[in-house]
Amino acid sequence: MNMMEGFYLEDFEIGKTYIGPGRTVTEADVVNYAGLSGDFNPLHMDEEFGKQNMFGKRIAHGLLGPVMMAGMSNQTGMMRGTTIAFIEQTERYVGPLQIGDTVHIEMTPTEIKHSSKPGRGVLKMHCQLKNQDGKVTTDSDWTLMMKSRT
């Protein structure tokens, strides 16, 4: 299998926004996440309960957003085989992630620092998960260890 290798540290451009593919949040996503995590909160699982909340319907788990963001970042191909480690991730849940939303990731590098060890460095990125209306649902900062050419 001959797959394109991902971006090395030097390939990222500070301030440039990289946009990943979109996907629709489905009922299956919510049910599978609940089964995996054990989070069966009625806010996510009970339609009648959901009608009574501030959103007027069930919403997807907040943590599903960052999980989807990680997958979408890999689908860009930029991380393929060049990510060494996910060092840190902070999340801010700005708006609800709703079943039926079509979301995509936007990633903007904010800092690139070469390590004292050859062949690696640290990449900091500001990432957002946005829905079909351009509204941010998840606002995140990532710190990754990436391969470098030097």
Side-chain angles (χ1 to χ4, degrees):
M1 184 178 214
N2 187 9
M3 297 178 88
M4 181 183 97
E5 193 164 29
F7 281 23
Y8 284 80
L9 188 65
E10 297 86 355
D11 298 331
F12 289 95
E13 186 179 325
I14 297 289
K16 179 178 179 177
T17 299
Y18 301 89
I19 299 175
R23 74 181 297 279
T24 301
V25 180
T26 67
E27 176 74 19
D29 293 328
V30 173
V31 170
N32 287 329
Y33 185 85
L36 178 66
S37 67
D39 181 351
F40 292 96
N41 186 311
L43 180 61
H44 312 301
M45 306 305 294
D46 183 327
E47 196 66 46
E48 292 304 311
F49 181 89
K51 289 177 184 176
Q52 306 305 313
N53 75 38
M54 64 189 279
F55 307 111
K57 59 185 174 180
R58 289 185 305 135
I59 60 172
H61 301 78
L63 283 172
L64 182 58
V67 170
M68 292 173 74
M69 292 169 76
M72 289 176 181
S73 71
N74 279 291
Q75 289 174 9
T76 66
M78 294 172 16
M79 308 298 180
R80 186 173 291 130
T82 54
T83 303
I84 297 170
F86 215 130
I87 298 171
E88 183 175 81
Q89 182 175 356
T90 60
E91 310 298 341
R92 290 165 296 283
Y93 302 101
V94 180
L97 182 60
Q98 300 195 31
I99 300 165
D101 275 353
T102 298
V103 294
H104 69 274
I105 187 172
E106 295 186 7
M107 303 170 287
T108 306
T110 57
E111 185 179 335
I112 295 171
K113 188 162 84 173
H114 286 273
S115 171
S116 58
K117 296 180 181 177
R120 67 182 68 177
V122 173
L123 169 67
K124 292 188 177 188
M125 290 200 298
H126 181 75
C127 302
Q128 294 185 316
L129 188 66
K130 292 186 176 180
N131 69 16
Q132 66 280 352
D133 299 320
K135 293 181 180 173
V136 177
T137 63
T138 309
D139 191 64
S140 185
D141 291 300
W142 294 1
T143 304
L144 305 164
M145 182 173 294
M146 302 293 296
K147 289 182 180 179
S148 73
R149 293 187 175 91
T150 59

